[in-house]
Amino acid sequence: MRLVTYQLLNTTALRTGIQISRDEVLDIVNEALEIGSSYRVSTMLDIIAGGEVTMNLLREIEAHPKTAPVMLNKALLKAPIPRPTKNIFCVGWNYLDHFNEGGEVAKDNRELPAYPVFFTKAPTAVNGPYDVIPFDENISTQLDWEVELGVIVGEGGKNISEADAMRHVFGYTIINDVTWRDLQRRHGGQWHKGKSLDGTCPMGPCIVTADAIDPTNLDLECRVSGVVKQQSNTKHLYFKIPRLIHDLSEGMTLEAGDIISTGTPEGVGFARKPPEWMQPGDLLETTIEGIGIMRNVIGFY
Ligand code: MG
């Protein structure tokens, strides 16, 4: 099932939907009203927290819709979780070729990590799949791209075993871990600031539920103004999803709606010779097989 958060044109309210075709979305709240359901389904976080009971309602809606679908030419898809309740968990160096290209730039003969590198992006960084990514040359001019598979946590937990981890996954989305590269390095080597500016976490265009996709073999690609910059497959993830969930949840509670961005493959701007950065007017396209495509223009504030 493909779940979306959308906005009807010329309105401000965010609505939840089931995308049933390229152009059509079933409005979940309207459908639930028709059925007489009292479940909370007005935000994606409600739906995820509702667990299997809510998913059964959505399956019923998808199988026997009672309202006319909303046409997507009259709506705009937004980030499926527009305002996460906490920071987005991110993984650094999780594709070997990206690890190596980073090592080449740093010239530090780094050893392969024994544990994943974790950092976070602020919730305010979240951006829609077709929204403008703000550019402020007074802050930085080194704007870089990072296509990543996003994992959405369903049932929360702590000290989750690798064997049990996939049971805690609600679904998958696309994230571009857009990074202001000099800010990332400027602050004592802590990545949080350079990866948390407003609008630097485009997410979407939907969440594909875990029962509908195999995350272990998905092509992913990032293009800037039509030129392919990154092209890989999630089978090359160094630390696989169960290991990420296990390590992250050790002594730290994961909750429904938490987001884990699993790391980016090779081909980022800073490792190119010479380095490349996005400019205002560039079109950033981020795509993962089976999930969809995001198109974000780089623009001035
Ligand atoms: Mg990243």
Side-chain angles (χ1 to χ4, degrees):
M1 190 181 296
R2 303 172 71 84
L3 296 173
V4 297
T5 295
Y6 74 97
Q7 197 175 19
L8 290 169
L9 296 183
N10 304 317
T11 69
T12 54
L14 295 176
R15 309 189 63 88
T16 53
I18 303 170
Q19 189 173 1
I20 53 170
S21 75
R22 185 187 159 93
D23 306 319
E24 299 168 303
V25 164
L26 295 172
D27 185 277
I28 293 174
V29 170
N30 287 346
E31 288 282 344
L33 281 172
E34 286 289 326
I35 293 175
S37 163
S38 58
Y39 295 133
R40 289 167 60 96
V41 288
S42 57
T43 72
M44 194 67 75
L45 289 174
D46 292 338
I47 290 168
I48 297 168
E52 202 51 26
V53 176
T54 304
M55 281 308 298
N56 284 336
L57 171 70
L58 299 195
R59 289 184 191 109
E60 169 67 21
I61 289 170
E62 190 178 35
H64 306 288
K66 297 193 164 35
T67 62
V70 174
M71 301 305 291
L72 276 178
N73 61 4
K74 296 188 169 56
L76 185 61
L77 295 182
K78 305 301 286 186
I81 303 177
R83 184 57 192 257
T85 48
K86 62 174 87 154
N87 286 15
I88 295 108
F89 299 111
C90 300
V91 184
W93 308 130
N94 208 19
Y95 287 78
L96 274 191
D97 286 341
H98 176 53
F99 181 79
N100 290 331
E101 72 179 356
E104 215 169 286
V105 172
K107 298 188 173 48
D108 57 3
N109 293 323
R110 56 188 63 176
E111 287 178 10
L112 290 177
Y115 296 90
V117 173
F118 292 123
F119 64 94
T120 69
K121 288 172 92 78
T124 40
V126 171
N127 205 348
Y130 306 112
D131 289 344
V132 171
I133 296 171
F135 186 96
D136 186 344
E137 60 189 347
N138 296 313
I139 297 175
S140 169
T141 54
Q142 298 188 0
L143 188 60
D144 209 344
W145 53 82
E146 295 192 358
V147 54
E148 306 195 3
L149 176 68
V151 176
I152 312 296
V153 175
E155 187 186 330
K158 187 170 159 178
N159 301 325
I160 299 168
S161 69
E162 286 192 48
D164 224 14
M166 298 309 279
R167 199 173 58 74
H168 291 264
V169 176
F170 178 81
Y172 302 92
T173 191
I174 309 172
I175 285 174
N176 199 311
D177 176 18
V178 173
T179 302
W180 290 97
R181 207 56 85 177
D182 49 348
L183 282 187
Q184 181 193 0
R185 302 224 173 85
R186 190 185 297 166
H187 297 275
Q190 294 292 322
W191 297 359
H192 178 67
K193 171 71 184 181
K195 285 172 170 287
S196 286
L197 266 58
D198 293 358
T200 58
C201 190
M203 183 195 306
C206 64
I207 293 173
V208 179
T209 52
D211 58 354
I213 194 166
D214 171 11
T216 64
N217 184 16
L218 299 174
D219 287 335
L220 64 175
E221 187 170 290
C222 179
R223 299 187 287 271
V224 177
S225 293
V227 179
V228 175
K229 300 296 185 185
Q230 295 181 282
Q231 202 169 42
S232 188
N233 185 290
T234 56
K235 70 184 175 197
H236 299 305
L237 278 174
Y238 186 66
F239 294 109
K240 309 295 186 198
I241 294 166
R243 172 73 190 275
L244 296 176
I245 290 175
H246 167 68
D247 277 28
L248 203 50
S249 71
E250 239 181 349
M252 185 176 85
T253 302
L254 290 179
E255 298 174 297
D258 282 351
I259 302 161
I260 304 169
S261 201
T262 53
T264 202
E266 66 280 11
V268 295
F270 84 82
R272 292 174 172 268
K273 298 181 182 76
E276 296 174 20
W277 315 115
M278 292 185 285
Q279 309 295 332
D282 273 335
L283 172 64
L284 175 65
E285 291 179 295
T286 317
T287 178
I288 298 183
E289 179 184 7
I291 303 179
I293 184 165
M294 303 197 291
R295 291 192 177 88
N296 299 91
V297 170
I298 312 301
F300 283 110
Y301 274 94

